[in-house]
């Protein structure tokens, strides 16, 4: 059902109206899809991703604390290095100063600055391409970050940093696990970045906000930093929060997205860490699990894929790592995420969704040869996510 019945909205309002939200009831409701009306989805996601506690009385103080903390991150990680660079770089006559751009010492602030720039270039390349079929990410936000865009400030923004960094982005493009096709063929990329109009000073596009969120995440999580594909995880979260009908919440979409993204990454980051690939929590284990589940549910299809040597990493790697964000259009991705976030076994349901996707095209797969089947799996043919979720639920109930 596309539209939500008033009754269903009332069910959500009732659960969310309690002084303490009953999580199991909320999960059950969200699993079948969350209405966008009245900012319900934004609120539910914040609870399901453990950003907001179940006690409603704590919400306003927690939000204030987290949003202040995020401003602090901006000051330390974007504004401070900019000021330091301006001070160090421009007005320095004495080259014998112990810190200078060529200082090999790993503690050198310059060294950090250049390392950060490599990460920044990779993020920049990826976020400019977010959902090219939608204008949203290219549009200016109603709430540009005044802390950063204040015309009084002499320091540089990330935009200027990218412009000034001459490192060729080729040196930065690192790909993981040899899977060259991280983005789906559906998503066409504009041929050159010059097709994007640069917004005038004082304005920021939504993709620039996403860039900042990812840059700060990378700085705070040096163990994983930034891996290609994280932009596809942060995109739907930010889009959902930045289109919240409630303007008081919408204004803080950046900070709220940052913390929800951080919490979500804490659950799925193992998929992005190469060294864990073969461990119990790594992505290889999960890909194998898709096949072992398929074997239980549809042994004929399982054997056919085995016989054609179609390994799960050829397609399930992207499906699982990016939570299907590359396989469907954004509104459909968001609907799938309602169910994934509501899953109390955290992403077990995702394995069933992947199985459902396979069984729904079983006839084509059973007839196709290797090339044809790879094309089907790399560019999934069914766009009706309600059908897919219904099938996944059937698989879940048939255990």
């Amino acid at each position: 059902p596309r539209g939500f019945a008033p009754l269903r909205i009332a069910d959500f309002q009732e659960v969310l109206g309690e002084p303490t939200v009953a999580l199991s009831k909320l999960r059950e409701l969200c699993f079948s899809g969350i209405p966008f009306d009245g900012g319900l989805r934004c609120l539910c996601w914040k609870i399901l991703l453990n950003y907001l506690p179940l006690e409603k009385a704590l919400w306003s103080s927690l939000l204030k604390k987290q949003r202040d903390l995020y401003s602090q991150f901006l000051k330390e990680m974007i504004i401070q290095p900019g000021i330091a660079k301006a001070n160090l770089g421009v007005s320095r006559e004495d080259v014998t100063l112990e810190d200078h751009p060529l200082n090999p010492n790993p503690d050198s602030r310059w060294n950090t600055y250049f390392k950060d720039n490599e990460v920044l270039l990779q993020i920049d390349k990826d976020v400019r391409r977010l959902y090219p079929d939608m204008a949203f990410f290219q549009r200016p936000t109603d709430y540009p970050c005044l802390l950063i865009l204040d015309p009084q400030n002499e320091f540089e923004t990330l935009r200027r940093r990218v412009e000034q960094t001459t490192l060729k982005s080729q040196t930065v493009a690192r790909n993981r696990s040899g899977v060259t096709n991280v983005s789906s063929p559906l998503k066409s990329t504009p041929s050159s970045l010059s097709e994007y109009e640069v917004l005038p000073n004082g304005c920021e596009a939504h993709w620039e906000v996403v860039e900042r969120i990812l840059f700060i995440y990378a700085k705070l999580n040096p163990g994983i930093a930034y891996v290609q594909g994280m932009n596809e995880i942060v995109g739907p979260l930010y889009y959902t929060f930045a289109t919240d009908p409630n303007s008081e919440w919408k204004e803080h979409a950046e900070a709220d997205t940052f913390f929800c993204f951080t919490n979500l990454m804490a659950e799925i980051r193992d998929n992005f860490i190469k060294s864990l690939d073969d461990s119990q929590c790594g992505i290889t284990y999960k890909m194998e699990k898709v096949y072992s589940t398929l074997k239980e549910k549809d042994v004929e299809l399982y054997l056919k894929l085995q016989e054609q040597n179609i390994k799960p990493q050829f397609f399930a790697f992207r499906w699982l790592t990016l939570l299907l964000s590359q396989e469907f259009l954004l509104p459909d991705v968001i609907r799938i995420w309602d169910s994934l976030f509501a899953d109390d076994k955290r992403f077990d349901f995702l394995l069933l969704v992947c199985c459902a996707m396979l069984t729904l095209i079983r006839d084509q797969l059973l007839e196709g040869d290797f090339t044809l089947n790879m094309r089907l799996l790399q560019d999934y043919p069914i766009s009706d996510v309600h059908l897919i979720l219904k099938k996944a639920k059937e698989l879940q109930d048939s255990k």
Side-chain angles (χ1 to χ4, degrees):
R2 280 285 171 255
F4 279 91
L7 277 175
R8 217 162 126 52
I9 294 174
D11 289 344
F12 274 91
Q13 285 166 340
E14 190 184 332
V15 171
L16 294 166
E18 296 292 326
T20 300
V21 177
L23 187 58
S24 56
K25 273 194 201 158
L26 184 70
R27 282 189 193 283
E28 204 178 312
L29 279 175
C30 295
F31 187 81
S32 323
I34 309 171
F36 175 73
D37 311 64
L40 285 174
R41 175 176 278 128
C42 308
L43 181 53
C44 291
W45 279 18
K46 286 172 181 146
I47 298 170
L48 294 174
L49 291 171
N50 303 319
Y51 177 46
L52 286 177
L54 298 174
E55 290 76 38
K56 255 172 95 167
L58 303 173
W59 288 359
S60 57
S61 60
L62 175 116
L63 287 170
K64 181 173 178 353
K65 192 179 112 227
Q66 296 301 88
R67 290 161 179 176
D68 290 348
L69 177 61
Y70 187 74
S71 296
Q72 209 39 52
F73 293 155
L74 291 177
K75 286 177 189 151
E76 285 169 26
M77 286 167 233
I78 293 179
I79 296 177
Q80 280 306 322
I83 294 174
K85 178 171 181 259
N87 295 348
L88 277 169
V90 185
S91 57
R92 201 186 68 236
E93 277 76 47
D94 181 8
V95 188
T96 57
L97 226 75
E98 73 281 12
D99 201 10
H100 59 85
L102 299 178
N103 183 351
N105 177 357
D107 301 333
S108 154
R109 275 190 297 179
W110 279 104
N111 199 328
T112 316
Y113 183 84
F114 289 134
K115 268 215 175 60
D116 287 350
N117 281 358
E118 281 191 33
V119 174
L120 179 58
L121 278 183
Q122 178 64 59
I123 294 174
D124 189 73
K125 213 169 90 186
D126 293 345
V127 293
R128 286 171 187 262
R129 299 194 289 227
L130 266 177
Y131 292 96
D133 46 345
M134 287 180 61
F136 171 80
F137 286 97
Q138 309 306 325
R139 288 206 187 112
T141 162
D142 297 336
Y143 304 100
C145 180
L146 300 175
L147 205 63
I148 289 181
L149 293 182
D150 177 358
Q152 302 305 306
N153 289 335
E154 282 304 306
F155 63 82
E156 54 178 14
T157 56
L158 289 182
R159 185 196 294 180
R160 199 163 338 153
R161 239 170 118 157
V162 170
E163 286 163 6
Q164 289 171 354
T165 304
T166 49
L167 278 168
K168 291 284 165 284
S169 42
Q170 278 71 8
T171 58
V172 188
R174 295 190 198 86
N175 208 335
R176 222 175 129 263
S177 85
V179 177
T180 41
N181 186 2
V182 179
S183 66
S184 109
L186 284 171
K187 317 259 172 186
S188 55
T189 320
S191 51
S192 76
L193 295 182
S194 62
E195 287 179 32
Y196 292 109
E197 43 180 326
V198 171
L199 295 171
N201 282 339
C203 290
E204 305 190 271
H206 287 294
W207 67 262
E208 294 186 83
V209 182
V210 174
E211 173 165 84
R212 203 160 45 231
I213 292 169
L214 286 166
F215 182 70
I216 289 185
Y217 178 81
K219 288 283 287 172
L220 287 171
N221 296 276
I224 178 171
Y226 172 75
V227 182
Q228 200 181 7
M230 286 181 183
N231 53 315
E232 305 291 352
I233 300 284
V234 84
L237 283 177
Y238 175 74
Y239 174 82
T240 300
F241 295 165
T243 54
D244 191 327
N246 176 344
S247 59
E248 286 156 61
W249 290 67
K250 183 177 175 176
E251 185 178 346
H252 297 285
E254 180 176 351
D256 292 348
T257 301
F258 172 80
F259 290 108
C260 287
F261 172 68
T262 300
N263 290 357
L264 179 55
M265 282 304 298
E267 297 187 38
I268 63 170
R269 61 182 281 169
D270 298 345
N271 298 344
F272 286 91
I273 299 177
K274 190 154 173 38
S275 59
L276 287 175
D277 278 359
D278 298 318
S279 71
Q280 282 280 296
C281 52
I283 186 75
T284 305
Y285 173 74
K286 291 187 186 121
M287 291 191 293
E288 297 301 336
K289 197 124 167 52
V290 170
Y291 265 23
S292 59
T293 312
L294 180 68
K295 189 177 176 182
E296 272 168 47
K297 307 285 183 189
D298 189 339
V299 70
E300 188 189 356
L301 180 56
Y302 166 78
L303 290 171
K304 171 77 179 191
L305 294 175
Q306 286 290 61
E307 172 204 324
Q308 291 191 345
N309 203 10
I310 292 180
K311 295 185 174 18
Q313 50 268 41
F314 296 159
F315 60 93
F317 174 79
R318 189 175 77 208
W319 291 4
L320 294 166
T321 304
L322 304 182
L323 306 181
L324 295 169
S325 62
Q326 286 274 293
E327 313 316 309
F328 303 100
L329 296 170
L330 187 58
D332 295 326
V333 171
I334 289 171
R335 169 61 195 92
I336 291 172
W337 285 17
D338 287 345
S339 297
L340 294 184
F341 295 166
D343 171 19
D344 59 346
K345 296 202 181 55
R346 275 321 198 209
F347 307 120
D348 272 15
F349 187 66
L350 177 58
L351 300 173
L352 293 167
V353 176
C354 294
C355 264
M357 286 169 68
L358 294 171
T359 54
L360 284 170
I361 55 170
R362 75 184 301 270
D363 296 351
Q364 288 158 279
L365 289 170
L366 289 173
E367 282 173 18
D369 60 5
F370 176 84
T371 315
L372 202 69
N373 285 348
M374 278 299 293
R375 194 173 307 147
L376 279 172
L377 294 167
Q378 286 279 342
D379 194 354
Y380 190 74
I382 297 177
S383 58
D384 181 356
V385 296
H386 296 274
L387 181 69
I388 294 167
L389 290 168
K390 188 165 157 258
K391 182 71 182 167
K393 185 81 181 91
E394 282 167 22
L395 293 175
Q396 188 179 46
D397 296 341
S398 71
K399 280 195 166 161

